[in-house]
Amino acid sequence: MDISVDCVVFGFDEDELKVLLIEQKQPDGKSAIKLQKAVPGDLVDENESLDQAAQRILLELTSLKGIYLKQFHAFGDPDRVSGLKDRDWLRSFRTHPERRVITIGYYSLVKMDDFNPQAASFAAKAQWVDVYKIPSLAFDHNNIVDQALQVLRHELMADHIGFELLPEKFTLSQLQKLYEIILDKKLDKRNFRKNIMRTDTVTPLEEKQSGVYHKPAQLFKVKRPRKTT
Amino acid sequence: MDISVDCVVFGFDEDELKVLLIEQKQPDGKSAIKLQKAVPGDLVDENESLDQAAQRILLELTSLKGIYLKQFHAFGDPDRVSGLKDRDWLRSFRTHPERRVITIGYYSLVKMDDFNPQAASFAAKAQWVDVYKIPSLAFDHNNIVDQALQVLRHELMADHIGFELLPEKFTLSQLQKLYEIILDKKLDKRNFRKNIMRTDTVTPLEEKQSGVYHKPAQLFKVKRPRKTT
DNA sequence: ACAAAAGTGTTGGAGATACACCCATGA
DNA sequence: TCATGGGTGTATCTCCAACACTTTTGT
């Protein structure tokens, strides 16, 4: 049996919660394979831990280190790879195409700001897709993304990890919008601010927004160093 | 690489929260191997899902079906099997002793009442151990048990799964004691009862305790059918 | 009658919710 | 000066914590 790791990478662009999807790689020489979109993932190497494998995948794809990354579930149905297109792809791409693959799901939070500069280098193979408009994906990846989103919602409330998706400097309105989009419901502005302040994870900078067409907002940064798994 | 499933089986005996431990099997013919205690587990078969593997292990060991069972974490450090004794055991017992093994951790809740009748058949190889007095275990099983306990505490509060550890009929005092032992802190009797009643998961039976040396307690049963994963 | 656990309500404080107006800026 | 989002406080209610005495049974 083979073990792989799949990473559901979340990003946020002021307006939408996004997931990073790749096109499956085109096997050399063959071109008759129908490619599908998928979540980035790879087989675990002989000498790396699961966490390391997830980091490696993320690093190869985004050139970013020290990103929030967390294991959330193992997917091991014998028929999780059952689609015809999935099997075609495996046959032309894997050294052991018939081997069963069990995958460990990770989810990851990246600041799209840090990310975009690098985008050109892999733009052809990776793209951000609105989490609420995900197309049909390879293997059982739709299921994996769904579960990742559930876990993200839960951990957002429990551990206030939302900052991981925002730039270093952010306004409370941006933060609130992030919460609203992830949780998919509206929040009260005053109560939201009280709550965030009470968690004591955020400090105001000596700096305000500029160049906006309305009263400029106070900028904040995260207080405590953030966890990286 | 091989995949195994390990089950941390919790039980409750009115007084202590217990974990089911087995002695590692003695390989035929060889007797120089030092055996250690471990959590029950086995390699995943070619055609079963992870959940099925966990159920199979539990069934073989306890003859019980329909038990609460939940995946909680994958353990995949390349050196999670590093002890000398662990390697000795693998060498004499596994067909591919040097293969790396990644294990998926499950935890399970059983009613020790249902369980005890069968005990004789495997008493030699399995035993209940107080979760707060666990000896040194094989592989990384101490770590696995610790994490299972953390998850159990969390899910007890979130989903009120405590009933799974009690007999069909139970008193509120038993239930409270269970919570106190799992959470490792005392609870207020009146507040506890209010809380449980508010969850609306429990109904009184037309029956009371008997044969006790004090005021007999009302017996309750679970209201909603319990989940089995 | 006594020992042992069962059962039962109230009060005070903290946290959650609901809600509306003035402010600073760029156009 | 106007349009736009930024920023702020209070009243109410619900939830949680603290706390002590009476009841029923077996011995």
Side-chain angles (χ1 to χ4, degrees):
Chain A
M1 268 179 249
D2 284 336
I3 313 282
S4 66
V5 162
D6 284 309
C7 290
V8 179
V9 182
F10 290 104
F12 182 67
D13 75 348
E14 308 275 304
D15 211 27
E16 286 181 342
L17 180 65
K18 308 230 168 188
V19 172
L20 190 65
L21 297 181
I22 58 167
E23 294 272 343
Q24 286 177 330
K25 279 190 267 191
Q26 181 71 42
D28 301 327
K30 315 206 179 182
S31 59
I33 310 297
K34 281 208 184 127
L35 296 184
Q36 299 184 89
K37 292 195 201 312
V39 148
D42 197 7
L43 296 178
V44 176
D45 284 349
E46 189 54 42
N47 290 307
E48 66 186 352
S49 69
L50 302 175
D51 287 359
Q52 283 163 2
Q55 270 175 281
R56 172 172 58 80
I57 289 159
L58 219 57
L59 184 64
E60 283 170 7
L61 194 65
T62 67
S63 318
L64 290 176
K65 288 203 82 170
I67 283 179
Y68 186 95
L69 188 57
K70 193 159 176 185
Q71 184 193 311
F72 71 93
H73 197 75
F75 299 85
D77 265 21
D79 56 353
R80 52 178 287 274
V81 176
S82 55
L84 279 180
K85 284 189 280 188
D86 294 332
R87 282 206 291 256
D88 279 349
W89 182 83
L90 288 171
R91 255 195 293 280
S92 39
F93 211 74
R94 287 274 167 86
T95 31
H96 301 283
E98 300 302 337
R99 258 194 211 164
R100 178 170 164 200
V101 179
I102 284 164
T103 201
I104 315 293
Y106 278 74
Y107 79 94
S108 167
L109 307 180
V110 309
K111 304 180 199 302
M112 281 181 73
D113 272 26
D114 297 355
F115 188 83
N116 278 327
Q118 333 266 354
S121 62
F122 60 87
K125 53 175 180 161
Q127 57 189 283
W128 291 105
V129 177
D130 185 332
V131 76
Y132 297 112
K133 294 172 191 160
I134 299 211
S136 171
L137 304 178
F139 311 123
D140 57 349
H141 285 192
N142 287 91
N143 180 24
I144 292 177
V145 172
D146 286 351
Q147 286 207 227
L149 180 58
Q150 299 305 320
V151 174
L152 170 60
R153 283 184 178 146
H154 190 264
E155 311 247 305
L156 179 67
M157 296 313 287
D159 304 339
H160 293 285
I161 53 179
F163 316 112
E164 303 291 343
L165 288 162
L166 292 176
E168 294 298 331
K169 302 172 182 182
F170 54 86
T171 69
L172 295 183
S173 296
Q174 285 178 299
L175 188 60
Q176 181 176 345
K177 196 160 201 173
L178 172 63
Y179 274 67
E180 289 180 339
I181 290 172
I182 294 179
L183 302 176
D184 204 18
K185 68 176 176 194
K186 281 215 66 72
L187 301 173
D188 178 84
K189 183 160 50 160
R190 282 177 284 196
N191 294 334
F192 178 77
R193 286 164 185 239
K194 266 181 282 184
N195 292 167
I196 292 296
M197 289 315 171
R198 192 150 30 76
T199 64
D200 193 43
T201 47
V202 119
T203 28
L205 295 166
E206 317 239 315
E207 195 182 347
K208 298 199 168 192
Q209 253 182 341
S210 66
V212 284
Y213 177 38
H214 55 73
K215 177 172 175 179
Q218 179 64 245
L219 288 168
F220 289 79
K221 67 178 173 68
V222 181
K223 189 178 268 179
R224 56 170 181 210
R226 66 198 74 83
K227 299 163 242 166
T228 324
T229 296
Chain B
M1 267 180 252
D2 283 337
I3 312 282
S4 66
V5 162
D6 285 308
C7 289
V8 179
V9 183
F10 290 103
F12 182 65
D13 75 349
E14 308 275 303
D15 210 25
E16 286 180 345
L17 179 65
K18 308 230 171 190
V19 172
L20 191 64
L21 297 180
I22 59 165
E23 293 272 343
Q24 288 177 328
K25 280 190 266 190
Q26 181 72 41
D28 300 329
K30 314 205 181 185
S31 58
I33 311 297
K34 280 205 185 129
L35 296 183
Q36 300 182 89
K37 293 195 200 313
V39 148
D42 198 6
L43 296 179
V44 176
D45 284 348
E46 190 54 43
N47 291 308
E48 67 187 350
S49 69
L50 301 175
D51 286 0
Q52 282 164 0
Q55 269 175 283
R56 172 174 57 81
I57 288 160
L58 218 57
L59 184 64
E60 283 171 6
L61 194 65
T62 67
S63 318
L64 290 176
K65 286 202 83 168
I67 283 180
Y68 185 96
L69 188 59
K70 192 159 179 186
Q71 184 193 313
F72 70 93
H73 197 75
F75 299 86
D77 264 21
D79 56 352
R80 50 177 289 273
V81 175
S82 56
L84 280 179
K85 283 189 280 189
D86 294 332
R87 281 205 292 255
D88 280 350
W89 182 84
L90 288 171
R91 255 194 295 279
S92 38
F93 211 75
R94 287 272 166 87
T95 31
H96 301 284
E98 300 303 337
R99 258 195 209 165
R100 179 170 163 198
V101 179
I102 284 163
T103 200
I104 314 293
Y106 278 75
Y107 80 93
S108 167
L109 306 180
V110 309
K111 304 179 200 303
M112 282 181 73
D113 272 27
D114 297 355
F115 188 83
N116 279 326
Q118 334 265 354
S121 61
F122 61 85
K125 54 173 181 160
Q127 58 189 283
W128 291 105
V129 176
D130 185 332
V131 77
Y132 297 113
K133 293 172 192 161
I134 299 213
S136 171
L137 303 178
F139 313 123
D140 57 348
H141 285 192
N142 287 91
N143 180 25
I144 292 176
V145 171
D146 287 349
Q147 286 207 226
L149 180 58
Q150 299 305 321
V151 175
L152 170 60
R153 282 184 179 146
H154 190 263
E155 311 249 303
L156 178 67
M157 296 313 288
D159 305 338
H160 293 285
I161 53 178
F163 317 112
E164 303 292 341
L165 288 162
L166 292 176
E168 294 298 331
K169 302 172 182 181
F170 54 88
T171 69
L172 294 183
S173 296
Q174 286 178 297
L175 187 60
Q176 182 176 344
K177 195 160 203 173
L178 171 64
Y179 273 67
E180 290 181 337
I181 290 172
I182 294 179
L183 302 177
D184 204 19
K185 67 176 178 195
K186 281 214 68 72
L187 300 172
D188 177 85
K189 183 161 51 160
R190 282 175 284 193
N191 293 335
F192 178 79
R193 283 162 187 242
K194 265 179 282 181
N195 292 167
I196 293 296
M197 289 314 172
R198 192 150 33 77
T199 65
D200 193 43
T201 47
V202 118
T203 27
L205 295 166
E206 318 240 314
E207 192 180 351
K208 298 198 171 194
Q209 251 181 341
S210 66
V212 284
Y213 176 38
H214 56 72
K215 177 170 175 177
Q218 178 66 243
L219 288 168
F220 288 79
K221 68 177 170 71
V222 182
K223 187 178 270 179
R224 56 170 179 207
R226 68 198 73 82
K227 300 162 240 166
T228 323
T229 296

